[in-house]
Amino acid sequence: MNIRCGEKSMEVEGGMTVMQCLLALGVDTQGVLAVQQQGRVLELNDPVTRAGELRPLTLQDEEGRRIYERSLRFVALLAFRRLMPGQRVRIEYSVGGGVFLHTPGHALTEAEVAAIQAEMRRITQSDLPFDKREWSLDDAIAYFAEDGQIDKVELLQRRTTPFFNMYECGGMWEYFYGAMLPSTGGVGVFGVQHLPGRGMALLTAEPRNPTRHAAYINRPKHLAVFDQSARWCAILGVRNAPDIHEMLERKQFRAFIRVNEALHDKAIAEIADVIARKGSRIILVAGPSSSGKTTTTGRLAIHLRVLGLDPVVISLDNYYRARAEQPLEADGSIDLESLHAIDVPLFRAHMQRLLLGETVEIPRYSFQTGNRMEHGVPVKLHPGQPVLVEGIHGLNPALVEGIDESVIHRIFVSALSCINLDDHNRIRTTDVRLLRRIVRDNQFRATPPEETLAMWPSVRKGEEKWVFPYQELADSMLNTALHYELPVLGHYVYGLLKAISPESPCYLTARRLVKMLNYFPDIPEAVLEEIPPLSLLREFIGGCTIDQEG
């Protein structure tokens, strides 16, 4: 059969592994973690059974970075098993350039973290193989039950496929939701950061320079929001996907929605109280794509009115420059994520004039024409009246340079969920935001999922450059994650993702999202009616009434 890689091709015998094929083709395998072939990810030790192109995956690829992280997580879990046998370990969200890991019921000491790191170093230097075997579902459930991993038992009991792949290394068996490296030596570049009172951060190799691990970035406000999310999980009685199933089976899902929404409302009300006490005049609401900035701003305006204030709401999108003036990406496409796509001098001038009590004409921007409309909206602030400004660049200091800092209050919003599939298999917050965006774009912009998936890497690149570096400048942070939202989003998007063809460039991402959603229950239409009209989730699924009059 004919195998290709880039411009190289050759006939190979059936049964050759991916690595053997790459070497036979003369491909430089340095940094290659796996390959993609026809919508599938093949591990380096997998046999090549189909003709076609093999596309190497490295740390420059999203899937490559996930493979590296999975393999490193296995090494960390093996180190814990050797040094702290019987200790429950939970791996959760991305934090400070790494992945957060903690031990429920036990506060890791600095000495323990150092010992774990040293053991991980020994494991990677030993280059132990990750042995992949197909197990029956019943055998896996029995194994994890005997091993005391009840979280995995509860998850697998709801799995429908009778067989799946398990991995063994150093006498420990694990189940991960995706491809792995051939051996522990492949993740020899890593770091560990002790987080006193919390746990530790596991740092993977730096994509731009794989010879060193990513630097830990201390973001205490970001960590505090995750602490809030963990408290919400405890209040709601939800940690992993099976807990969502139990809520539905016990007919408690409606109450689950109500409490979750009440927690959200309480958090927004507390931010409004702070703003009122400070007497802030310019409130900047920022966050990454699909974090819920628009609804958060609208609900905050309501709570400020409750406190006797009458805020004016402005979208930063209306300050976009004309299409012909906007900055371009290297490929010639318009870079709408850049701060320079915004007419910053005009925005500053308008804010300063509003604070002086002058009337300004706020522009109205048309994304259809790529230009501002002929007439804007005249706005004048009464004494003490605040203005709410919503947009991704709200926390960038350059946006309000020259404006009195004492009148500014910055809010960063993002969907930071602590829900996992099980203790060792996390759900990335970026995947939740991607699902939100797919649903919203399909519902309101007639954009098929493939288009949203195709543009997502560019969106993420813009966030890393223009949004996340400024999040610690926030005066307040709001976690917009709803712990019930994944099965709801799945209700709208599952069929659309399943319909994406294996030939599509987006198939790999779509398949990963489908596999994740498979572990959540179907939500009856009647239960969806419980989601209130001012819920942040309504911004994406429809039915939001926050801007409706009458």
Side-chain angles (χ1 to χ4, degrees):
M1 60 183 170
N2 185 266
I3 296 296
R4 303 184 308 280
C5 185
E7 297 180 355
K8 301 177 180 180
S9 68
M10 66 180 295
E11 296 293 323
V12 302
E13 298 178 2
M16 290 180 66
T17 68
V18 168
M19 179 59 83
Q20 288 170 338
C21 287
L22 294 178
L23 293 174
L25 285 165
V27 175
D28 181 6
T29 59
Q30 181 69 31
V32 177
L33 306 172
V35 299
Q36 182 178 346
Q37 186 191 41
Q38 299 171 349
R40 302 179 304 155
V41 173
L42 299 179
E43 297 176 0
L44 295 178
N45 284 342
D46 283 343
V48 178
T49 58
R50 303 179 189 175
E53 184 176 7
L54 303 179
R55 187 178 78 80
L57 297 172
T58 69
L59 283 170
Q60 298 301 311
D61 301 286
E62 173 67 21
E63 187 59 33
R65 292 191 289 274
R66 291 179 184 241
I67 291 169
Y68 197 99
E69 184 197 300
R70 283 186 208 107
S71 304
L72 186 60
R73 278 190 278 141
F74 198 121
V75 170
L77 291 169
L78 181 57
F80 269 98
R81 176 162 294 220
R82 288 180 172 181
L83 299 184
M84 303 173 69
Q87 174 62 56
R88 181 185 174 195
V89 179
R90 186 168 170 84
I91 301 170
E92 294 184 343
Y93 43 82
S94 298
V95 58
V99 180
F100 178 61
L101 182 155
H102 67 113
T103 49
H106 175 78
L108 286 171
T109 66
E110 187 174 358
E112 287 171 331
V113 170
I116 291 295
Q117 182 176 22
E119 184 61 26
M120 289 178 65
R121 192 71 61 198
R122 283 190 286 271
I123 292 169
T124 57
Q125 290 172 351
S126 299
D127 198 21
L128 303 175
F130 291 119
D131 184 17
K132 180 168 64 174
R133 300 287 178 87
E134 187 179 81
W135 277 36
S136 73
L137 186 62
D138 290 340
D139 286 345
I141 290 173
Y143 171 80
F144 287 123
E146 185 177 353
D147 198 51
Q149 298 190 53
I150 305 305
D151 58 306
K152 280 190 169 64
V153 172
E154 292 174 342
L155 188 72
L156 294 177
Q157 283 174 337
R158 292 177 169 85
R159 186 184 172 103
T160 56
T161 52
F163 296 96
F164 62 101
N165 291 323
M166 291 272 287
Y167 291 86
E168 184 274 336
C169 182
M172 182 180 81
W173 288 93
E174 262 293 350
Y175 174 46
F176 288 110
Y177 302 89
M180 297 277 288
L181 287 170
S183 62
T184 61
V187 288
V189 178
F190 70 90
V192 168
Q193 175 72 38
H194 181 224
L195 304 176
R198 285 189 172 93
M200 62 184 245
L202 194 58
L203 307 168
T204 64
E206 170 61 55
R208 297 184 191 87
N209 184 0
T211 62
R212 67 184 185 190
H213 66 74
Y216 177 73
I217 305 169
N218 185 29
R219 291 173 173 161
K221 294 178 183 177
H222 186 65
L223 278 173
V225 178
F226 272 120
D227 288 344
Q228 179 195 58
S229 185
R231 290 193 298 272
W232 287 6
C233 281
I235 291 169
L236 295 164
V238 169
R239 287 285 184 183
N240 296 327
D243 300 328
I244 305 286
H245 278 274
E246 287 190 21
M247 287 283 181
L248 202 60
E249 291 163 1
R250 295 176 183 175
K251 300 190 183 303
Q252 297 175 340
F253 205 83
R254 289 178 183 272
F256 181 43
I257 291 174
R258 293 170 197 146
V259 175
N260 210 159
E261 292 290 345
L263 287 167
H264 254 206
D265 208 49
K266 184 173 184 292
I268 295 171
E270 289 171 352
I271 293 174
D273 288 339
V274 172
I275 291 169
R277 284 198 302 271
K278 286 174 59 179
S280 302
R281 299 292 307 283
I282 298 177
I283 297 98
L284 303 167
V285 183
S289 173
S290 302
S291 56
K293 297 181 292 294
T294 303
T295 303
T296 297
T297 304
R299 289 174 64 174
L300 179 61
I302 293 170
H303 280 284
L304 289 173
R305 290 188 182 103
V306 169
L307 298 173
L309 301 172
D310 185 23
V312 172
V313 178
I314 294 174
S315 172
L316 202 54
D317 286 357
N318 284 316
Y319 284 87
Y320 268 119
R321 297 181 182 276
R323 190 169 293 162
E325 302 173 8
Q326 287 172 348
L328 302 178
E329 295 272 21
D331 62 1
S333 61
I334 294 174
D335 183 9
L336 289 175
E337 310 298 323
S338 169
L339 175 67
H340 305 300
I342 301 291
D343 191 341
V344 174
L346 179 64
F347 174 80
R348 288 181 195 150
H350 279 186
M351 294 303 106
Q352 289 169 331
R353 289 176 59 194
L354 284 172
L355 291 175
L356 292 172
E358 298 178 18
T359 299
V360 300
E361 188 173 299
I362 303 298
R364 292 187 300 155
Y365 188 82
S366 169
F367 284 94
Q368 283 71 36
T369 65
N371 290 287
R372 291 175 192 155
M373 298 180 187
E374 184 177 354
H375 299 291
V377 179
V379 172
K380 180 178 181 178
L381 299 182
H382 305 300
Q385 186 178 20
V387 56
L388 295 179
V389 181
E390 175 257 315
I392 65 171
H393 297 293
L395 269 61
N396 192 318
L399 185 70
V400 290
E401 189 175 321
I403 298 176
D404 183 1
E405 281 289 328
S406 68
V407 303
I408 297 172
H409 188 92
R410 296 176 174 87
I411 303 170
F412 185 78
V413 300
S414 194
L416 305 175
S417 175
C418 288
I419 296 287
N420 274 19
L421 292 179
D422 58 44
D423 282 355
H424 301 161
N425 289 278
R426 69 191 186 100
I427 295 172
R428 299 188 181 214
T429 57
T430 54
D431 283 346
V432 178
R433 290 194 293 112
L434 175 55
L435 286 170
R436 285 180 173 185
R437 181 155 177 159
I438 292 170
V439 173
R440 183 198 64 192
D441 287 359
N442 185 257
Q443 292 276 100
F444 306 118
R445 302 177 185 179
T447 303
E450 286 182 85
E451 287 189 27
T452 302
L453 289 167
M455 71 174 69
W456 188 244
S458 175
V459 172
R460 293 281 295 118
K461 180 182 175 183
E463 293 170 352
E464 292 296 334
K465 182 176 181 179
W466 296 106
V467 179
F468 293 122
Y470 306 109
Q471 66 185 50
E472 286 293 311
L473 298 178
D475 300 294
S476 300
M477 285 195 172
L478 178 70
N479 180 9
T480 65
L482 288 157
H483 294 69
Y484 69 83
E485 71 179 282
L486 276 169
V488 174
L489 293 172
H491 177 84
Y492 290 90
V493 81
Y494 186 83
L496 297 171
L497 292 172
K498 285 275 286 184
I500 293 178
S501 165
E503 284 71 42
S504 169
C506 303
Y507 176 76
L508 199 61
T509 304
R511 184 169 176 266
R512 184 183 73 236
L513 294 172
V514 165
K515 288 175 69 176
M516 177 183 72
L517 291 172
N518 277 334
Y519 288 97
F520 289 91
D522 293 328
I523 302 297
E525 286 282 352
V527 175
L528 295 176
E529 296 172 2
E530 189 66 40
I531 302 172
L534 296 189
S535 170
L536 183 138
L537 197 53
R538 288 289 180 191
E539 182 177 327
F540 305 97
I541 67 173
C544 180
T545 60
I546 205 158
D547 293 324
Q548 295 180 11
E549 300 294 338

